[in-house]
Amino acid sequence: MQKESFIFFKVNAPLKQLIFVVLLLFCTTIYVSPPIALVLGLIVANLFGHPFLELNHKATNYLLQFSVVGLGFGMNVHSAVSAGKEGFVFTIISIVSTLVLGTCLGKWFKTDKKTSHLISCGTAICGGSAIAAIAPIIKSNEKQTSIALGVIFILNSVALFLFPAVGHWLDLTQKEFGLWCAIAIHDTSSVVGAASKFGPEALQIATTVKLARALWIIPVALITAFIFKNKSGKIKIPYFIGLFVLAMIANTYLPKMEIVGALLVSIAKIGLTITLFLIGAGLNSTILKTVGLKPLLQGVLLWIFIATATLLAIIYLE
């Protein structure tokens, strides 16, 4: 979707591919955490270029889905249901308020209407997945979609480092942090990455609440189709969430799954680390320049709103 960006070191294709593959394999080791993998991806993209850029989006999408399903084998249904109930009210209020505020900010900044709506949906629900689902419905062009994705991915990258640091600084509990990052961080990859860095309980709560939140793509997509008067727009339903639920059920009710489940969770965590490496590798200088000030400012203000409001609600109302 994006053109190759300006790179600092011109190297031939085989060497570029070798550097990329070596770093990717390095991300499968215990020495690389999800945030570090993201940084490595950013470095390789902007120093040498991404040799497989045209495959990056699909690889990231499928690998993330596989990783999320794999994490389900380490979770318990009863705990997940409890976490989902607690996050339900926060989810509804945050989605509605973010979409309304996003629309107002878009008009204030005079941001392109479709770009503004994509940024708002990406912030309100589940980042890149929401944008991918909404873009065909509003018939956005490549530039509008790229700008929205760029805004979301930039802020996701910041969140991956910022949220765990703030969580420890405020001495949040595992439960509080899990709820906070599930609602306030856009993309599932960064939610899982930040929560896994904070702790196992935070990871379980964050993953469950975030995936339940992702289902809101469906009603938001239907409303979007009505607003943009598109009766033929197809809605992309995140079917992998069903597999995640099945994985949790198997882990909870099938005792023999314990050993296999632990292995699958370990593989899933490696998959998540590679996913974040690929996300970083897709954030080249071309995307950063394409975003522009107004859309980025809209995304930042929306993000500050949802992050601050959610954090205050969790601390004082829970």
Side-chain angles (χ1 to χ4, degrees), residues 77-301:
V77 169
H78 307 295
S79 301
V81 170
S82 176
K85 287 180 179 178
E86 291 182 33
F88 184 73
V89 175
F90 286 117
T91 294
I92 294 177
I93 295 174
S94 63
I95 287 175
V96 173
S97 57
T98 301
L99 289 174
V100 171
L101 180 60
T103 301
C104 294
L105 286 174
K107 290 182 179 179
W108 185 30
F109 290 130
K110 296 181 180 178
T111 308
D112 172 79
K113 184 179 179 180
K114 292 182 178 181
T115 303
S116 174
H117 188 67
L118 289 174
I119 293 172
S120 300
C121 290
T123 305
I125 309 174
C126 54
S129 300
I131 292 172
I134 299 297
I137 295 173
I138 66 176
K139 297 180 179 178
S140 59
N141 59 38
E142 184 178 351
K143 182 178 180 181
Q144 292 165 331
T145 305
S146 296
I147 290 173
L149 286 171
V151 170
I152 296 301
F153 287 148
I154 289 169
L155 297 182
N156 274 331
S157 302
V158 175
L160 195 57
F161 293 92
L162 181 63
F163 272 62
V166 173
H168 286 299
W169 180 55
L170 294 176
D171 198 25
L172 296 181
T173 65
Q174 295 275 315
K175 175 184 172 183
E176 289 171 337
F177 185 81
L179 275 173
W180 183 42
C181 69
I183 294 172
I185 299 179
H186 313 76
D187 229 45
T188 305
S189 56
S190 290
V191 169
V192 176
S196 64
K197 190 176 180 182
F198 200 83
E201 185 184 347
L203 174 61
Q204 177 163 325
I205 293 171
T207 305
T208 305
V209 173
K210 189 62 180 180
L211 294 182
R213 186 185 185 87
L215 292 173
W216 284 86
I217 288 177
I218 299 170
V220 170
L222 291 172
I223 295 170
T224 296
F226 174 77
I227 293 173
F228 284 82
K229 296 179 174 62
N230 181 11
K231 296 180 181 179
S232 61
K234 294 182 179 180
I235 300 171
K236 293 184 178 179
I237 301 173
Y239 293 105
F240 75 96
I241 295 176
L243 296 176
F244 170 79
V245 173
L246 290 176
M248 282 197 301
I249 293 173
N251 183 63
T252 305
Y253 297 107
L254 299 178
K256 293 183 179 180
M257 282 298 302
E258 186 175 347
I259 298 176
V260 178
L263 176 61
L264 291 173
V265 169
S266 298
I267 295 173
K269 288 181 177 179
I270 293 173
L272 174 67
T273 304
I274 295 174
T275 299
L276 286 164
F277 170 76
L278 294 176
I279 288 174
L283 277 176
N284 56 45
S285 58
T286 299
I287 295 176
L288 302 180
K289 291 175 182 176
T290 301
V291 167
L293 181 60
K294 288 183 178 180
L296 182 59
L297 189 57
Q298 178 182 342
V300 169
L301 290 177

Side-chain angles (χ1 to χ4, degrees), residues 16-26 52:
K16 185 189 297 186
Q17 292 171 0
L18 177 62
I19 293 171
F20 187 89
V21 171
V22 167
L23 287 175
L24 189 146
L25 291 175
F26 182 52
F52 310 107

Side-chain angles (χ1 to χ4, degrees), residues 35-46:
I36 297 303
L38 182 75
V39 172
L40 287 176
L42 285 166
I43 291 172
V44 73
N46 292 283

